Amino acid sequence: MTAELVRGQNHALPQTRLEIRISAGAPVVAGATLGDEHGTVHGVERIAHPGSPHLPGLEVSRQAAAEHRLAVDLDALPDGVHRVTVLLALPLEAGGPTRFGAVAAPFVAVTGLEGTEIATFTLTGLDTESAVAALELYRRQGAWKVRAVGQGYAGGLAAMLADQGVDRAAELAGSIQEAVARGLARSVSPPPPRTPEGDRVRHAAGPAAVPGGGQPLVGPPAARQPEQPAPAAVPSGPIDYAHPRRRPSAPPPPPPAAPPAGPGEQAGPVAGDATGWSMDERLYNQIWGMFEDLARATAAYRSAVDFAESRMDQELERTLSDPRSRIGGSGDLAREQARAKRDELTGRAREALDRDLAQLAAESAVVEPALPAPYAGWDNPVWHAYRVPMEIPMALRIGDLHLPESGELRIPLLVRLPLERGIWIDSGRTASEAAALTDGDQLRRLAMESAVLHAARLLAVYPAGEFSVHVIDPAGSASAALDPLVRSGVLAGPPASGAGGVSSVLAQLTRRVDLVQMAIRAGAADSLPPDLDPAEQLLIVNDFPHGFDDRAVNQLRYLADEGPSVGVHLLMVADREDASAFGPVLDPLWRSLLRITPVADDHLADPWVGHAWTYEPLTTPEGSRVLDLVLAQVAAARRGEPR
């Protein structure tokens, strides 16, 4: 029976291998400290946090998230550890909450490896605090117990660490937040789950988990509410876009059902097998559901393999520590048995993963052909029937994602529209195999060609006249890559070159941001100057920082920070090493942009478990004229020609 604890209450722990599951109404940082019998933490090596997630007997999440799973093996903790304190803190991200009183009360559950809850605690009563010691596992007279703490700190993470005796706590807190910022910058974040205000976010226990397992998954992405009135038969109120395989809900009418399966047959996957007002919304949610499923299935597999290896190591250690095993063949037999158990566990885990992959591959096979143009790759026939749309789609595909275990399965990477953050195409040499086999000049060329393809997709999915593209190419080095955009006449003006061109374009766009912000604050959005283009604006910057002085760099940072909220977006093609002379002043710029690459590279993280996903850019088929055909349609619509 689950013990629902209140602040200060304790409960005996029936086992030593545990998971601590955390649910919060906003992304939080989760960590843990290892203290002595007095609760004092002796050094940074006794603190697990996103920058250092692994300690003996303890593993925490690598990034801030609304959901976490912390793995604990009390028997494997270092000698002298009598207390494990679970810490939560709000990340210092721009625009995020700064106090726990502004978010839903965090919920913490201590569970067994099979997911059964042992004790739970809801952290109510928090207000100005930005960090909190949620609960502690402590040893008393040889037995382990859990105590609900709920001690908040208005001074944040630094004050909480200092209270546990950590030296140079402020410096450590800063490094932890730095690691969190790096994780947020590389994370692909889905829209937040829609939950009734004030409800805690809590999910039912999933399948068996083992130490090293991933976090529980956040709610599936919520598509924006449609602008057209809903059918009368659909209930009013917040829309629940939960995927039907993950969380039961009362969805709008489902998509048309597939023909019933015959005797002994199983119903196959269906495109649009998710809730939503339209097929596009259903497909959008279905893709995020596939993304989530693959992350969860892979996390379970990796956790099972880690558990099997850990169990084998422990059994071998016990065998080797027993002098009797050195006599006769008992030691060899024990080693063979330990390895056989390991192989059996990993084999069962692989079978489960293969079943999940087969299901997802079958689903992908029916989803891909049904995708609309904004969600489809360039090789999809839907582009050959392209027509300029009448309204903005809810998302755009910018590439594909996969994991080492997923084989040929690819998950479309969708970003919501309008863009919420700019995009940085890294033209530098990364650690990936594909980048190592490509020379520097070719990487820069591929990066600019990728930028052109992304700009073309953005132009293609917006209604005529509602999206404008500007280009800064200081040295004119991207003229060949830019030719499709220039030749079709879809750019707002010729590519700007030289220091004067850089200054002119940046001044124009920063003026637009300033004017729109002032109009919004004054409630006079209809009084903007007649020469101001009301369309969404995209600025492509090539070869940064060439041609940029300090003023231009500050303007670019301003556009990255303030532009997305008023319809001005960045698409930068740059090698970070080229801008190293500016030092840390550009760090906020890089973090504010979604980093992608012109070749395959495993640098993106999912928002649930934090796997490193390999990103693959979209390319047009060899010899295809699809790009020219699409841009010709866009240009004709901009000129007002009939389609």
Side-chain angles (χ1 to χ4, degrees):
M1 182 175 179
T2 303
E4 296 188 4
L5 305 180
V6 297
R7 188 174 278 106
Q9 188 177 2
N10 59 41
H11 183 74
L13 293 172
Q15 58 200 82
T16 57
R17 298 178 72 90
L18 306 163
E19 278 194 342
I20 299 172
R21 303 185 178 191
I22 300 162
S23 299
V28 297
V29 182
T33 59
L34 305 181
D36 60 17
E37 60 271 19
H38 304 295
T40 302
V41 178
H42 298 281
V44 296
E45 66 277 3
R46 293 291 176 95
I47 304 173
H49 56 81
S52 178
H54 301 283
L55 293 179
L58 179 63
E59 181 179 352
V60 304
S61 306
R62 296 177 179 270
Q63 62 190 57
E67 304 283 335
H68 294 272
R69 284 186 185 181
L70 280 58
V72 181
D73 183 353
L74 298 173
D75 290 335
L77 294 174
D79 294 338
V81 172
H82 290 260
R83 190 177 302 181
V84 180
T85 304
V86 177
L87 314 176
L88 304 179
L90 293 172
L92 300 179
E93 58 176 325
T98 58
R99 58 188 185 89
F100 274 106
V103 300
F107 172 80
V108 184
V110 180
T111 76
L113 297 186
E114 74 289 348
T116 303
E117 289 183 347
I118 299 170
T120 65
F121 175 41
T122 302
L123 285 77
T124 57
L126 297 175
D127 186 12
T128 60
E129 299 89 345
S130 60
V132 59
L135 55 77
E136 61 184 17
L137 314 178
Y138 65 98
R139 180 160 46 190
R140 182 67 54 82
Q141 297 178 348
W144 284 93
K145 296 183 178 182
V146 56
R147 177 187 291 121
V149 181
Q151 174 64 53
Y153 294 84
L157 191 57
M160 180 166 55
L161 293 174
D163 194 41
Q164 297 187 35
V166 178
D167 293 332
R168 304 172 71 179
E171 182 178 333
L172 176 59
S175 67
I176 293 173
Q177 292 288 3
E178 178 78 12
V180 171
R182 290 194 298 268
L184 289 172
R186 63 187 286 267
S187 175
V188 180
S189 300
R194 290 177 181 263
T195 57
E197 187 166 344
D199 286 1
R200 71 186 184 194
V201 181
R202 182 178 179 186
H203 300 271
V210 292
Q215 308 157 12
L217 306 179
V218 301
R224 63 179 183 182
Q225 190 165 345
E227 296 177 1
Q228 67 272 22
V234 179
S236 61
I239 305 169
D240 185 356
Y241 288 102
H243 194 283
R245 291 198 303 272
R246 290 163 193 78
R247 191 171 58 191
S249 63
E265 297 180 358
Q266 290 186 346
V270 177
D273 181 22
T275 54
W277 296 114
S278 66
M279 178 57 78
D280 286 1
E281 289 178 338
R282 290 167 179 157
L283 289 167
Y284 174 79
N285 284 287
Q286 187 171 15
I287 289 169
W288 273 101
M290 294 166 60
F291 187 12
E292 181 181 325
D293 276 352
L294 183 54
R296 176 191 287 187
T298 305
Y301 169 72
R302 292 180 180 179
S303 296
V305 171
D306 289 345
F307 174 70
E309 294 287 348
S310 174
R311 176 174 173 174
M312 182 187 70
D313 291 342
Q314 291 178 6
E315 291 180 355
L316 290 176
E317 184 177 355
R318 285 196 297 268
T319 299
L320 294 175
S321 64
D322 186 354
R324 292 172 297 180
S325 65
R326 303 169 190 168
I327 302 174
S330 60
D332 293 336
L333 178 61
R335 282 189 286 270
E336 291 178 5
Q337 290 176 339
R339 294 190 180 101
K341 289 179 183 178
R342 186 270 316 271
D343 293 342
E344 179 187 2
L345 289 173
T346 55
R348 291 208 306 263
R350 185 71 219 192
E351 289 176 4
L353 177 63
D354 288 341
R355 286 195 300 269
D356 291 335
L357 290 177
Q359 180 182 354
L360 286 169
E363 191 171 6
S364 177
V366 298
V367 167
E368 280 285 355
L371 294 178
Y375 303 173
W378 287 111
D379 57 349
N380 192 309
V382 71
W383 282 106
H384 294 283
Y386 166 78
R387 293 294 182 269
V388 176
M390 300 298 293
E391 61 181 15
I392 303 171
M394 63 186 305
L396 180 72
R397 185 173 185 167
I398 63 169
D400 293 327
L401 298 172
H402 67 93
L403 292 169
E405 295 89 348
S406 63
E408 297 299 317
L409 179 63
R410 299 294 185 267
I411 303 296
L413 174 57
L414 302 180
V415 294
R416 289 176 294 165
L417 296 179
L419 293 173
E420 297 180 339
R421 60 195 293 199
I423 296 174
W424 163 32
I425 303 178
D426 190 350
S427 59
R429 187 174 300 280
T430 64
S432 71
E433 180 180 356
L437 298 175
T438 309
D439 64 49
D441 291 339
Q442 187 178 6
L443 277 174
R444 285 188 286 273
R445 177 180 60 79
L446 291 174
M448 197 60 204
E449 290 176 354
S450 181
V452 169
L453 290 177
H454 289 305
R457 291 178 73 86
L458 284 163
L459 284 163
V461 302
Y462 271 77
E466 294 191 16
F467 197 85
S468 296
V469 177
H470 308 261
V471 176
I472 289 178
D473 184 21
S477 58
S479 56
L482 290 169
D483 181 63
L485 298 179
V486 175
R487 181 164 29 88
S488 61
V490 296
L491 293 177
S497 60
V502 171
S503 175
S504 175
V505 173
L506 290 176
Q508 176 186 346
L509 293 178
T510 52
R511 171 180 176 267
R512 184 189 189 280
V513 172
D514 289 339
L515 290 175
V516 174
Q517 285 186 336
M518 287 189 292
I520 292 174
R521 285 195 293 265
D526 56 349
S527 62
L528 290 167
D531 64 331
L532 188 139
D533 183 3
E536 297 270 320
Q537 309 287 312
L538 177 72
L539 173 59
I540 302 176
V541 179
N542 180 46
D543 205 18
F544 177 81
H546 182 82
F548 282 74
D549 55 19
D550 290 344
R551 183 172 184 271
V553 167
N554 287 331
Q555 287 176 316
L556 195 67
R557 287 183 55 188
Y558 176 71
L559 292 178
D561 293 339
E562 304 295 335
S565 64
V566 291
V568 178
H569 313 284
L570 288 184
L571 177 53
M572 290 187 58
V573 178
D575 179 356
R576 189 168 182 173
E577 289 299 317
D578 292 342
S580 59
F582 286 94
V585 71
L586 286 181
D587 286 350
L589 172 65
W590 304 121
R591 290 179 190 149
S592 69
L593 304 173
L594 174 62
R595 175 177 172 257
I596 57 178
T597 49
V599 295
D601 188 80
D602 59 347
H603 66 281
L604 289 177
D606 64 81
W608 304 288
V609 184
H611 292 315
W613 293 73
T614 296
Y615 167 83
E616 292 183 352
L618 298 177
T619 58
T620 55
E622 185 72 26
S624 172
R625 296 188 60 246
V626 62
L627 178 61
D628 292 333
L629 294 174
V630 168
L631 290 177
Q633 289 268 6
V634 172
R638 288 166 65 96
R639 293 191 299 266
E641 297 177 4
R643 293 184 293 169

